[in-house]
Amino acid sequence: MGLSATVLTRRFPSVGRALTYVTLGTFTIYFAWTALLVEWRIQLRARLNALDSAKGAYFVDSLAGQEAIKLYGNEAAEEQRFDGILRSIAATSLRSALVGSLLNAGQARLLSSRLAVSTIYLFALKLPSTSSTSIHPPIHHLPSSRR
């Protein structure tokens, strides 16, 4: 971060500090956004692991108690219990995927919006064209034979 700030300040003396602030702000927000959503996703993955363990335990219990379940007519109750576990797994998996998508979309939006802000700011100040701020060189830089 310090290297980026130094390069921006020295490369663009008139606007380097503003660009440095935009860059530091962007990365601060980026890191906070990423940390928040990654933590949320870790919690969801832990819940998925717990549900998967519950599903495995249910299978062991149902196989061990299969005769008792049939004897007392509890098939419907056991089916509802297992369906509840499967619904929870499906909902948590979907939520985890959505959080991952939200993370990626937020990161892309943040970086692209900050890039747009920086670009608009630079062009508003009418900085002279350099190889790092323009795609094509201005025509007055071309040899006279190419005009």
Side-chain angles (χ1 to χ4, degrees):
M1 297 299 283
L3 179 62
S4 296
T6 303
V7 168
L8 286 171
T9 304
R10 290 188 181 177
R11 177 74 170 100
F12 302 104
S14 61
V15 295
R17 286 191 180 187
L19 290 176
T20 298
Y21 295 141
V22 169
T23 302
L24 292 175
T26 299
F27 281 112
T28 301
I29 295 169
Y30 182 91
F31 291 141
W33 176 259
T34 302
L36 178 72
L37 280 125
V38 165
E39 283 298 318
W40 186 11
R41 195 149 189 219
I42 287 171
Q43 291 173 357
L44 290 171
R45 297 303 300 174
R47 175 154 167 73
L48 275 173
N49 288 339
L51 287 169
D52 192 48
S53 295
K55 182 178 76 171
Y58 174 81
F59 278 138
V60 170
D61 289 345
S62 66
L63 287 175
Q66 180 181 6
E67 292 174 4
I69 291 170
K70 286 190 181 216
L71 180 65
Y72 295 111
N74 269 350
E75 289 99 352
E78 290 296 315
E79 186 177 330
Q80 287 177 353
R81 182 177 156 211
F82 186 66
D83 284 346
I85 293 171
L86 291 180
R87 276 193 296 276
S88 293
I89 289 173
T92 305
S93 293
L94 179 61
R95 197 172 302 128
S96 178
L98 290 174
V99 169
S101 297
L102 183 63
L103 172 67
N104 292 336
Q107 289 172 336
R109 184 178 178 126
L110 174 70
L111 292 178
S112 63
S113 67
R114 299 303 179 177
L115 180 62
V117 166
S118 297
T119 304
I120 291 168
Y121 181 69
L122 288 174
F123 284 115
L125 293 175
K126 298 179 183 172
L127 285 179
S129 269
T130 65
S131 61
S132 64
T133 59
S134 67
I135 297 172
H136 301 288
I139 195 158
H140 67 271
H141 286 315
L142 294 175
S144 59
S145 63
R146 297 183 92 194
R147 285 191 212 169

